[in-house]
């Protein structure tokens, strides 16, 4: 019995020794990782790994077999590599680890990310001044600041209405100025960014362009807030990296917008990934909005999904409104008319107040 006790004590010591050594090894791997990052070198080097394994197994006198030793060391190598990846993630400019406090973006006095709910409302596409102005008046009457409208429309079919281009931006600005609103509009071509700066207060980058890296870089090079939409099939990690492209060029004023992802479900146009909202809020310091129009593609689901967005902690909601949706040149099935919009906002404001009351009580 005494022998057993003694052996166990020795084993405990060896365990601690191994622990100390693998952590010592991990520190070295982290240092190597930093050098590799600086030199843009790939973290995983299979040739180097093979050399290390050969060196180790050639010195192995047992009792473990070569294959067992290889297996154990490969696990240690893998864990170290993951550690490097964690460090890399930690270093992302958009990550909460980098900047714990929320980013608040001031758009003509509307402070996105300040804890209040903000709305981005307007037609799918700019069709005429009269059309946009009617929506702008309704938006203003609800105390909303951000007017949206598509001037450059990235349509799935090349034969569908492509938008009015710069003329559309001019219309948006004229209607927004009349009512003291800010303009949010999508830009699809990096060459248009400079010109758009005269008309828009927020550059929207659409789902189809979330990984258009040249566009992301061009938006990152200017001093204008960007509303970045999640790609149709983008993972949350890809979405965060797209935001990082913008931030890495110096523009940190980014609003993330969940707009539904493609799944096998056909009941809605896309599947609203509502859990992306708290994940993005945890992982990044950026404000997060939910576009209920494109995520559902169904008028009857706009209000319930917007309520879900508020309940889960979104900083804002985007929705499309058209004075006469039946004749809209795009997305006619899913835009709200103005009476429906009025009801939509009233319901959401009421819910917002209830959420705030509960928050105060807690
Ligand atoms: C839009 O908001 O006008 C739009 C085209 O949305 P998405 O890029 O999300 O499809
Ligand atoms: Mn649309």
């Amino acid at each position: 019995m005494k022998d057993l006790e003694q052996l166990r004590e020795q084993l405990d010591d060896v365990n601690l020794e191994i622990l100390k050594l693998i952590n010592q090894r991990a520190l070295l791997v982290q240092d190597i990782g930093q050098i590799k990052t600086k030199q843009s070198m790939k973290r995983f080097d299979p040739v180097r790994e093979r050399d290390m394994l050969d060196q180790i197994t050639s010195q192995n006198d047992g009792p473990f077999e070569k294959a067992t030793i290889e297996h154990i060391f490969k696990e240690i190598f893998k864990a170290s590599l993951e550690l490097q990846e964690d460090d890399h993630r930690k270093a992302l400019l958009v990550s909460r680890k980098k900047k714990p406090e929320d980013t608040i973006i001031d758009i003509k006095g509307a402070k996105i990310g300040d804890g209040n709910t903000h709305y981005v409302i307007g037609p799918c596409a700019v069709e005429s001044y009269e059309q946009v102005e009617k929506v702008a008046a309704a938006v203003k009457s609800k105390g909303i600041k951000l007017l949206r409208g598509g001037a450059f429309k990235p349509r799935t079919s090349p034969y569908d209405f492509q938008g009015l281009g710069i003329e559309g931006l001019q219309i948006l600005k004229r209607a927004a100025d009349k009512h003291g609103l800010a303009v949010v509009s999508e830009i699809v071509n990096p060459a248009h960014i400079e010109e758009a700066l005269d008309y828009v207060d927020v550059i929207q980058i659409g789902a189809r362009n979330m990984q258009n890296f040249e566009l992301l870089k061009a938006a990152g090079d200017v001093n204008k807030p960007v509303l970045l939409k999640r790609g149709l099939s983008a993972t949350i990690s890809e979405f965060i990296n797209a935001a990082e492209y913008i931030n890495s060029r110096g523009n940190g004023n980014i609003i993330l917008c969940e707009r539904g992802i493609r799944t096998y479900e056909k009941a809605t146009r896309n599947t609203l990934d509502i859990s992306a909202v708290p994940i993005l809020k945890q992982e990044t310091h950026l404000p997060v909005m939910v576009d209920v129009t494109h995520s559902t593609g169904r008028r009857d689901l706009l209000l319930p999904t917007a309520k879900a967005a508020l309940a889960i902690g979104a900083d804002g909601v985007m929705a499309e409104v058209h004075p006469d949706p039946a004749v809209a040149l795009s997305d006619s099935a899913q835009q709200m008319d103005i009476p429906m919009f009025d009801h939509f906002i009233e319901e959401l404001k009421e819910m917002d107040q209830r959420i705030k009351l509960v928050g105060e009580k807690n």
Side-chain angles (χ1 to χ4, degrees):
M1 262 346 247
K2 195 124 186 263
D3 282 354
L4 181 64
E5 280 298 306
Q6 253 178 9
L7 289 170
R8 282 185 165 164
E9 266 174 34
Q10 280 181 39
L11 202 59
D12 288 343
D13 288 345
V14 172
N15 283 343
L16 293 179
E17 203 59 36
I18 294 174
L19 175 70
K20 213 158 68 191
L21 286 171
I22 55 170
N23 277 320
Q24 202 177 321
R25 188 184 185 284
L27 289 173
L28 289 170
V29 171
Q30 280 180 313
D31 287 347
I32 292 172
Q34 276 176 2
I35 294 171
K36 283 187 165 181
T37 305
K38 268 198 204 116
Q39 301 182 351
S40 299
M41 282 165 73
K42 269 182 61 182
R43 284 188 294 265
F44 178 58
D45 181 347
V47 177
R48 167 76 181 140
E49 182 161 318
R50 179 38 54 210
D51 283 349
M52 287 196 292
L53 287 174
D54 287 348
Q55 196 192 23
I56 293 162
T57 50
S58 72
Q59 303 272 323
N60 179 37
D61 297 326
F64 280 126
E65 289 192 15
K66 181 177 169 209
T68 311
I69 291 290
E70 278 211 3
H71 176 73
I72 292 169
F73 273 89
K74 269 187 165 171
E75 284 303 315
I76 295 174
F77 296 171
K78 203 170 90 198
S80 307
L81 204 65
E82 279 164 9
L83 207 58
Q84 283 188 4
E85 276 164 10
D86 277 354
D87 278 357
H88 202 64
R89 216 174 295 137
K90 229 182 276 170
L92 284 189
L93 294 168
V94 297
S95 76
R96 235 199 235 275
K97 282 179 187 147
K98 189 85 183 174
K99 175 174 173 275
E101 65 279 10
D102 289 335
T103 288
I104 299 174
I105 304 172
D106 192 329
I107 302 162
K108 286 200 164 167
K111 294 187 173 60
I112 318 296
D114 67 352
N116 294 308
T117 306
H118 297 270
Y119 297 93
V120 181
I121 303 291
C124 180
V126 175
E127 295 165 9
S128 69
Y129 176 74
E130 291 67 31
Q131 170 231 16
V132 176
E133 198 280 327
K134 277 186 194 146
V135 180
V139 165
K140 167 77 180 180
S141 75
K142 293 291 172 211
I144 294 169
K145 271 275 176 180
L146 304 172
L147 176 70
R148 63 149 283 147
F152 296 96
K153 296 300 299 174
R155 304 304 299 280
T156 300
S157 163
Y159 305 114
D160 286 340
F161 176 58
Q162 302 286 307
L164 298 179
I166 294 291
E167 190 199 338
L169 296 183
Q170 290 165 343
I171 289 174
L172 272 170
K173 177 151 178 64
R174 193 147 71 88
D177 283 351
K178 179 173 174 195
H179 296 285
L181 306 175
V183 170
V184 181
S185 198
E186 177 166 357
I187 302 300
V188 296
N189 183 341
H192 289 152
I193 296 246
E194 279 296 325
E195 200 176 357
L197 297 180
D198 292 339
Y199 307 107
V200 308
D201 300 289
V202 178
I203 297 167
Q204 180 171 319
I205 295 185
R208 286 155 198 81
N209 274 314
M210 190 206 82
Q211 284 190 320
N212 180 339
F213 299 116
E214 295 311 311
L215 184 63
L216 297 173
K217 287 187 216 165
D221 286 338
V222 294
N223 184 21
K224 188 72 85 174
V226 178
L227 187 145
L228 177 66
K229 297 188 115 188
R230 180 177 180 180
L232 275 70
S233 311
T235 63
I236 289 175
S237 164
E238 287 164 339
F239 190 18
I240 292 174
N241 272 290
E244 184 74 7
Y245 259 89
I246 301 169
N247 204 342
S248 69
R249 306 288 282 213
N251 186 355
N253 287 331
I254 306 158
I255 302 163
L256 300 174
C257 183
E258 162 61 38
R259 48 79 72 208
I261 50 174
R262 181 157 292 181
T263 69
Y264 51 80
E265 183 52 66
K266 296 264 197 294
T268 47
R269 179 168 166 182
N270 291 288
T271 298
L272 174 57
D273 181 12
I274 197 74
S275 55
V277 177
I279 295 172
L280 292 167
K281 300 276 306 172
Q282 278 166 32
E283 301 248 324
T284 80
H285 49 78
L286 302 173
V288 180
M289 288 198 172
V290 173
D291 171 351
V292 291
T293 302
H294 296 97
S295 50
T296 65
R298 283 175 53 163
R299 242 178 240 126
D300 59 331
L301 299 181
L302 300 177
L303 185 55
T305 48
K307 284 183 173 174
L310 299 196
I312 210 162
D315 296 285
V317 169
M318 177 187 275
E320 289 182 348
V321 176
H322 191 288
D324 188 359
V327 299
L329 294 178
S330 56
D331 286 352
S332 77
Q334 64 201 47
Q335 302 196 61
M336 289 181 271
D337 63 13
I338 289 171
M340 190 178 172
F341 160 68
D342 287 344
H343 174 71
F344 175 82
I345 291 295
E346 288 312 318
E347 289 267 326
L348 291 177
K349 281 187 177 167
E350 196 191 302
M351 174 162 165
D352 221 7
Q353 273 176 347
R354 272 187 281 141
I355 292 174
K356 290 227 166 66
L357 276 176
V358 175
E360 277 161 24
K361 274 193 212 137
N362 293 336

